[in-house]
Structures are given as structure tokens and as C-alpha cells.
């Protein structure tokens, strides 16, 4: 495998892992302007058979020749089988991952593969293999949780054209338990409430409009249920 063709992003916070993986995907996508040369594979597995199917999809996508020449950009997104869960710890999943090493070691010229996973068990054999054979990033170790939270809030508020008043970010963190994913969602909500005229999110606004962490979890579960997405619904209920 050529250097730099396999990228591994792992961590314990699904939002941070997804965001960092998306940043890498968007950066690499500049070299793959045709949509047919880019593919995203859902990495969420409920049983061992899913692991085999998911890795098979990655193998097939990575081995496909682009219609316009060159390689493919493949993102295995949100793999959840590199841990000690029933699926992740099963011998069948480990066997499938061992087989995946063969094609990941022999990616075609120009092909790039992003392997993002959360949560992970850092003593998992495949995680250790990724550390040695991929451009490996552990976002949980790269940033302390409070710094990551503030970075997510500031980036999201900037995208929305607003800013937090002194003390407002700390108020937000206290209300939602420092959850980075919820912080981004609440920031967008607050920016929408302010409208085009408002530019600053105050402590008072956060206190009035942001629900406590437990209430926020309920709203997410209700939204997931309403969407008809079974996997998301079960994930929010379990969390």
C-alpha cells in the first residue's frame, strides 16, 4: 500500500470523530471532483454478518475503477465493531477484519480509504494494526474534552454568523453536560432564534432556551423515532 492512502480516525465521541472524518473527506474530495468516484459506506453493524457485508462494500468500492480514470475515495463511516461489544468481540468480526487487511494493504493507485470508528477498544488487534499501517488519529487523545467542546461551539457559531457573549459558552456546557454534538445543535437553534438581526448569544438566552441535558436527550430520541431510523432510535435510547 502506498503511504497515506489509508486514513483511520477513532475516538469516544461520535460527533468529534464524524466531524474530523468529514474534514479529511472534504479535503481529499478535491482530487475526486466526480461524484461517482466518491462513496460513503455506513459502518454500523448489529451482527457479525453486517461486519462481513460492510467490509465487502468497502472492498468493492475501493476496487472499482473510476469512469474518468484514477482511483476512488471511500469513507467507511461510523464503524462500531472495533470494541468489546458482542459484535466487536466476536471471533467472526475479528476474522473479517483480518481478511480486510489484505485489500487495505493493496489499494489501487490513487485510491484513498477513510476508516472512522467510534467507540473503540484501543487494545483491539485491528486498532493496533491501523496505528502502524494508516494515517492514524485518535481525536479523544488529540484534544481535551473541554477544549474540543469550545472549538466545536466556536466553529458552529461562526458558521451561523453569531458569537457567544462572555460566560455563555460555560453556561451552555453546564446545561448540556459538555456534549459536543448537542452543543452544535443548540448553537444552530439559538442562532435561528436570533434571526438576521441578532449577532450575540447571551447567558440569559442560553438559560432560557437550552433544556437541561436529560431533556435534550429526550428530544433527540423523539426526533429519531419520528424519522423512522431504527438504528438511531435504539442508539439514543441506549445512550
Amino acid at each position: 500500500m502506498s503511504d497515506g492512502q489509508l486514513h483511520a480516525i477513532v475516538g469516544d465521541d461520535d460527533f468529534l470523530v464524524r466531524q474530523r472524518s468529514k474534514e479529511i473527506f472534504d479535503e481529499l474530495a478535491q482530487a475526486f471532483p466526480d461524484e461517482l468516484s466518491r462513496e460513503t459506506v455506513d459502518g454500523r453493524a448489529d451482527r457479525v454478518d453486517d461486519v462481513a457485508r460492510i467490509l465487502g462494500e468497502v472492498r468493492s468500492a475501493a476496487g472499482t475503477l473510476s469512469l474518468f480514470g484514477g482511483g476512488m475515495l471511500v469513507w467507511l463511516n461510523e464503524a462500531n465493531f472495533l470494541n468489546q461489544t458482542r459484535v466487536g468481540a466476536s471471533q467472526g468480526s475479528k476474522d473479517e477484519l483480518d481478511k480486510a487487511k489484505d485489500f487495505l494493504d493493496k489499494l489501487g493507485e490513487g485510491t484513498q480509504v477513510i476508516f472512522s470508528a467510534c467507540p473503540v477498544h484501543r487494545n483491539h488487534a485491528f486498532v493496533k494494526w491501523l496505528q502502524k499501517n494508516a494515517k492514524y488519529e485518535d481525536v479523544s487523545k488529540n484534544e481535551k474534552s473541554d477544549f474540543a467542546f469550545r472549538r466545536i461551539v466556536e466553529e458552529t457559531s461562526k458558521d451561523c454568523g453569531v458569537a457567544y457573549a462572555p460566560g455563555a459558552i460555560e453556561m451552555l456546557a453546564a446545561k448540556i453536560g459538555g456534549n459536543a454534538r448537542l452543543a452544535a445543535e443548540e448553537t444552530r437553534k439559538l442562532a435561528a432564534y436570533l434571526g438576521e438581526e441578532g449577532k450575540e448569544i447571551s447567558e440569559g438566552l442560553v438559560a432560557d432556551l437550552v433544556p437541561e441535558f436529560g431533556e435534550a436527550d429526550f428530544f433527540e430520541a423523539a426526533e429519531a423515532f419520528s424519522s423512522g431510523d431504527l438504528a438511531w432510535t435504539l442508539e439514543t435510547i441506549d445512550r
Side-chain angles (χ1 to χ4, degrees):
M1 179 180 66
S2 301
D3 292 340
Q5 286 183 262
L6 177 61
H7 308 258
I9 301 89
V10 305
D12 302 315
D13 187 309
D14 59 344
F15 182 85
L16 295 178
V17 170
R18 189 183 308 114
Q19 186 191 53
R20 177 56 184 149
S21 301
K22 181 67 163 53
E23 290 173 355
I24 294 174
F25 181 86
D26 289 343
E27 181 180 344
L28 293 174
Q30 297 177 27
F32 299 86
D34 175 52
E35 290 187 5
L36 295 177
S37 64
R38 306 190 300 265
E39 186 163 344
T40 300
V41 177
D42 186 344
R44 291 171 293 185
D46 296 321
R47 51 188 185 276
V48 175
D49 288 346
D50 291 336
V51 177
R53 173 185 54 77
I54 289 166
L55 293 175
E57 290 180 13
V58 175
R59 181 188 300 108
S60 177
T64 300
L65 294 177
S66 171
L67 294 177
F68 298 91
M72 296 284 293
L73 173 58
V74 184
W75 178 10
L76 173 55
N77 185 29
E78 297 188 36
N80 62 354
F81 45 86
L82 299 185
N83 45 47
Q84 292 300 97
T85 60
R86 176 180 56 82
V87 175
S90 70
Q91 188 59 47
S93 293
K94 293 177 181 179
D95 290 343
E96 293 298 332
L97 287 165
D98 280 339
K99 287 189 281 187
K101 295 175 185 177
D102 292 335
F103 77 85
L104 291 174
D105 261 335
K106 303 172 184 176
L107 294 175
E109 184 177 354
T111 291
Q112 298 277 344
V113 173
I114 302 170
F115 196 120
S116 64
C118 177
V120 296
H121 187 272
R122 289 167 178 80
N123 285 327
H124 194 289
F126 191 76
V127 173
K128 291 186 175 181
W129 182 86
L130 288 172
Q131 291 174 350
K132 296 179 180 179
N133 295 276
K135 296 180 70 173
Y136 181 88
E137 293 187 37
D138 188 334
V139 295
S140 299
K141 293 184 177 181
N142 289 346
E143 293 184 324
K144 294 182 179 179
S145 59
D146 56 345
F147 178 82
F149 180 89
R150 179 172 289 274
R151 179 175 65 83
I152 294 299
V153 170
E154 291 177 346
E155 289 179 355
T156 305
S157 60
K158 183 178 179 181
D159 290 342
C160 294
V162 297
Y164 276 83
I169 291 181
E170 289 74 15
M171 170 70 75
L172 178 66
K175 293 275 281 185
I176 63 176
N179 186 297
R181 175 185 50 78
L182 283 178
E185 294 175 358
E186 291 299 329
T187 298
R188 296 188 187 99
K189 182 185 76 177
L190 292 167
Y193 178 83
L194 286 174
E196 295 182 1
E197 301 300 323
K199 296 298 180 183
E200 184 175 80
I201 298 173
S202 65
E203 282 190 74
L205 192 64
V206 173
D208 291 341
L209 296 185
V210 177
E212 298 295 333
F213 183 69
E215 294 180 71
D217 272 357
F218 169 78
F219 292 139
E220 184 197 7
E223 181 182 356
F225 178 81
S226 298
S227 73
D229 188 329
L230 178 60
W232 181 20
T233 302
L234 293 176
E235 177 190 353
T236 58
I237 292 173
D238 182 64
R239 185 167 61 245

